[in-house]
């Protein structure tokens, strides 16, 4: 029996020694557990349960040491620069209500904030270099901000599991930089796909001017998404980018846009941003605006190629205006609309291009093809009446297309928000058989200095009280 006891004791001694070595590299100071890298003079915030990983299983699976509102400093107590948040560092910290990350932070480990059920918002600093997959899985984040930076954030393993934000109740996201993937399988598919794929609670997403790359299916099937804004760096909208977002209505897209991918806005019945002012647009993909419910569609003058059924299966579409002097090449004989729509949708083309369109595959199938009359719609005017903005112009039966740009977007509780900046309104008019009007830009003061004028609990365009400037676009 003595010999057997000694054999069993040896592994226990080894485990105890390993645990002691790990504890020696960890320190609890000023409420945080730290792991120090003496060579790089850096510090990482780690989980408390690492101290017990060779002991009690309950202690291993639960973290209760981090709670309330916390601020992670830029310097650890020993003076080392704080650059990391370790794997599972705040895992299951269900009492954590807010966390401010340091401007020196470079990495966030896997499952770092998993199941932080009271954590509602977080801001990722510009210093961030790498974020592991599911760092925030199972948390209650509603607001997510990724600060502007020229350098991309590397995401580990995201392509294996899907969306970086899937399953989160996030409602508002600001993305200030590009994302790339460090994963072998991702290279086979071209990188990260769908940051917000099937985010069921997402209402608004803004991509800053430093973002130059969107991913396939970026916001695919987001049932509550109402607004998307793309920064000036975006030139391509990839396949299925906003596919199946039924409430998406406001889409701010830069005029620098060059291509729209396959099914990019299909099944988005409220989307109608495309106008002749997108002069750099070259390609419109297959089914790009399928089932969008537009009454009229526009093909800008620079378009050279258009995919099958780009505007198909839309019973509301009664007119299409192509401003391209040379008919864009169609993907096949099928053309830009579905077969039945050739009978009901009128095609208007530039003066002098009628014969070319009547001979071009994909265009000649339209039953009604006529030239535009060469005149522009009159510029729109804006007036305020009983808390509503009214659009008008001198062109009869004109349709008005508008978008609002907010300098800030805030959530909160209460009936008063103090704002010092203004809202920008862009609007142009269109009419069947005519060219679009010039874009007119209005600068609008909101809410008389920020008051909730109409008492609905929100400071928005309904509270506009004064038009302070009008500038021709």
């Amino acid at each position: 029996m003595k010999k057997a006891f000694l054999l069993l004791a040896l592994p226990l001694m080894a485990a105890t020694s390993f645990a002691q070595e790990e504890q020696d590299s960890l320190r609890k100071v000023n409420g945080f557990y730290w792991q120090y890298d003496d060579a790089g003079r850096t510090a990482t915030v780690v989980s408390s349960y690492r101290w017990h990983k060779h002991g009690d299983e309950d202690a291993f699976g639960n973290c209760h040491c981090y709670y309330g509102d916390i601020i992670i400093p830029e310097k650890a107590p020993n003076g080392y620069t704080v650059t990391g948040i370790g794997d599972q560092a705040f895992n299951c910290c269900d009492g954590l209500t807010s966390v401010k990350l340091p401007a020196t932070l470079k990495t966030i480990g896997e499952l770092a904030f998993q199941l932080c059920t009271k954590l509602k918002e977080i801001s990722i600093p510009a210093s961030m270099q790498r974020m592991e997959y599911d760092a925030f899985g199972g948390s209650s984040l509603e607001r997510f901000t990724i600060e502007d930076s020229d350098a991309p954030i590397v995401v580990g393993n995201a392509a294996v599991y899907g969306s970086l934000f899937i399953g989160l109740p996030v409602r508002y996201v600001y993305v200030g930089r590009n994302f790339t993937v460090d994963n072998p399988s991702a290279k086979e598919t071209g990188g990260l796909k769908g940051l917000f794929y099937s985010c069921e609670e997402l209402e608004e997403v803004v991509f800053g001017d430093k973002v130059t790359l969107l991913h396939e299916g970026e916001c695919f099937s987001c049932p509550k998404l109402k607004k998307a804004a793309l920064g000036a760096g975006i030139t391509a909208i990839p396949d299925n980018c906003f596919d199946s977002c039924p409430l998406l209505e406001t889409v701010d897209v830069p005029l620098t846009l060059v291509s729209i991918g396959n099914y990019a806005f299909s099944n988005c019945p409220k989307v109608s941003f495309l106008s002749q002012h997108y002069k750099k647009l070259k390609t419109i993909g297959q089914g790009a605006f399928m089932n969008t419910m537009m009454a009229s569609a526009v093909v800008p003058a620079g378009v050279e190629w258009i995919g099958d059924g780009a505007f198909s299966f839309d019973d509301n579409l009664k007119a299409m205006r192509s401003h391209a002097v040379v008919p864009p090449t169609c993907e096949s004989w099928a053309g830009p609309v579905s077969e039945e729509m050739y009978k009901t949708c009128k095609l208007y083309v530039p003066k002098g291009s009628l014969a070319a369109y009547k001979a071009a595959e994909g265009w000649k199938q339209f039953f009604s093809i006529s030239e535009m009359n060469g005149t522009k719609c009159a510029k729109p005017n804006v007036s305020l009446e009983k808390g509503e903005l009214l659009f008008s112009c001198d062109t009869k039966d004109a349709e008005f297309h508008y978008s609002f740009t907010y300098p800030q977007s805030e959530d909160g509780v209460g009936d008063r928000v103090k704002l010092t900046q203004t809202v920008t309104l862009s609007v142009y008019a269109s009419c069947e058989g005519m060219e679009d009007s010039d874009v007119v830009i209005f600068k609008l003061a909101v809410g008389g200095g920020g008051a909730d004028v109409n008492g609905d609990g929100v400071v928005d365009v309904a509270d506009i009280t004064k038009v302070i400037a009008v500038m021709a676009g």
Side-chain angles (χ1 to χ4, degrees):
M1 290 295 294
K2 187 173 182 180
K3 184 177 180 180
F5 174 80
L6 289 173
L7 289 172
L8 291 170
L10 286 174
L12 179 61
M13 293 172 61
T16 303
S17 175
F18 179 83
Q20 186 61 49
E21 289 175 5
E22 185 176 35
Q23 285 198 15
D24 288 343
S25 69
L26 300 173
R27 302 286 188 274
K28 183 181 181 183
V29 185
N30 293 352
F32 292 103
Y33 285 89
W34 302 99
Q35 188 168 33
Y36 295 139
D37 178 1
D38 294 328
R41 298 184 63 81
T42 60
T44 298
V45 178
V46 296
S47 171
S48 65
Y49 64 68
R50 291 173 62 103
W51 286 76
H52 309 292
K53 67 184 296 182
H54 300 287
D56 184 357
E57 291 185 2
D58 289 334
F60 179 81
N62 292 280
C63 166
H64 299 287
C65 67
Y66 298 125
Y67 58 88
D69 302 328
I70 68 171
I71 299 175
I72 301 176
E74 295 184 6
K75 295 288 185 180
N78 68 345
Y80 286 6
T81 301
V82 178
T83 59
I85 294 175
D87 292 349
Q88 305 182 62
F90 296 90
N91 186 16
C92 297
C93 290
D94 51 15
L96 183 65
T97 52
S98 73
V99 57
K100 179 175 175 57
L101 304 179
T104 54
L105 193 66
K106 295 182 179 180
T107 62
I108 297 179
E110 208 166 302
L111 307 175
F113 292 91
Q114 185 187 42
L115 297 174
C116 292
T117 55
K118 292 183 181 178
L119 186 63
K120 299 297 184 183
E121 63 179 276
I122 199 163
S123 181
I124 306 299
S127 57
M128 182 63 60
Q129 296 178 358
R130 183 183 178 95
M131 188 161 55
E132 296 301 329
Y133 165 75
D134 209 15
F136 301 93
S139 72
S140 297
L141 285 171
E142 296 180 359
R143 189 178 184 87
F144 203 101
T145 301
I146 302 168
E147 295 179 4
D148 292 350
S149 176
D150 291 319
I153 291 180
V154 177
V155 180
N157 294 325
V160 173
Y161 301 102
S163 167
L164 186 64
F165 295 90
I166 195 167
L168 296 182
V170 62
R171 295 193 300 116
Y172 171 85
V173 179
Y174 175 83
V175 181
R177 59 199 298 193
N178 290 328
F179 280 77
T180 61
V181 173
D182 179 17
N183 187 287
S185 66
K187 295 177 182 177
E188 300 174 5
T189 58
L192 184 64
K193 291 192 176 184
L195 279 176
F196 309 102
Y197 180 96
S198 195
C199 283
E200 295 185 356
E201 301 300 324
L202 185 64
E203 297 178 8
E204 180 178 350
V205 59
V206 178
F207 295 91
D209 288 342
K210 293 185 180 295
V211 177
T212 60
L213 175 67
L214 298 178
H215 306 92
E216 182 179 337
E218 194 81 281
C219 296
F220 176 83
S221 188
C222 294
K224 295 184 180 180
L225 183 63
K226 298 177 182 178
K227 179 179 180 180
L230 312 184
I234 298 296
T235 58
I237 298 176
D239 295 351
N240 303 100
C241 191
F242 295 96
D243 187 356
S244 300
C245 295
L247 298 184
L248 183 61
E249 183 172 11
T250 302
V251 185
D252 296 334
V253 180
L255 296 178
T256 52
L257 189 66
V258 175
S259 67
I260 299 174
N262 298 333
Y263 305 101
F265 294 95
S266 68
N267 303 304
C268 296
K270 297 185 177 183
V271 167
S272 62
F273 71 88
L274 196 59
S275 75
Q276 71 181 67
H277 302 289
Y278 287 90
K279 297 179 180 180
K280 295 185 178 182
L281 186 65
K282 299 296 183 184
T283 62
I284 300 175
Q286 180 179 353
F289 295 94
M290 184 177 70
N291 291 330
T292 55
M293 304 298 288
M294 288 187 287
S296 62
V298 174
V299 178
V303 173
E304 299 172 352
W305 186 91
I306 188 165
D308 286 347
F311 301 92
S312 62
F313 302 107
D314 189 345
D315 293 337
N316 284 358
L317 188 62
K318 302 303 179 185
M320 177 178 290
R321 290 175 292 124
S322 177
H323 295 273
V325 174
V326 177
T329 300
C330 292
E331 184 176 3
S332 74
W333 62 268
V337 299
S338 48
E339 185 176 356
E340 289 300 315
M341 294 173 64
Y342 279 117
K343 302 175 183 178
T344 58
C345 181
K346 297 178 181 179
L347 176 63
Y348 295 93
V349 301
K351 274 195 171 184
S353 297
L354 184 61
Y357 275 87
K358 285 188 173 183
E361 201 66 62
W363 301 102
K364 65 183 182 181
Q365 292 95 316
F366 280 92
F367 278 44
S368 174
I369 307 176
S370 57
E371 293 183 345
M372 287 181 276
N373 59 26
T375 59
K376 279 187 177 182
C377 277
K379 288 183 180 180
N381 298 306
V382 179
S383 60
L384 182 70
E385 184 177 312
K386 295 181 180 179
E388 294 182 335
L389 289 177
L390 301 180
F391 300 135
S392 62
C393 76
D394 293 336
T395 300
K396 185 180 179 181
D397 298 326
E399 184 178 46
F400 301 97
H401 309 261
Y402 62 89
S403 64
F404 289 95
T405 301
Y406 294 85
Q408 72 179 47
S409 181
E410 295 289 344
D411 295 324
V413 178
D415 67 347
R416 193 173 294 271
V417 179
K418 186 176 182 180
L419 299 177
T420 57
Q421 62 274 26
T422 59
V423 171
T424 300
L425 165 64
S426 300
V427 59
Y428 69 91
S430 66
C431 188
E432 188 174 317
M434 301 177 68
E435 294 188 7
D436 295 343
S437 75
D438 291 334
V439 177
V440 179
I441 299 174
F442 299 87
K443 297 290 186 177
L444 308 165
V446 177
D452 177 19
V453 175
N454 66 355
D456 63 359
V458 181
V459 176
D460 57 16
V461 294
D463 298 306
I464 293 174
T465 58
K466 183 181 179 183
V467 178
I468 59 173
V470 179
M471 300 180 295

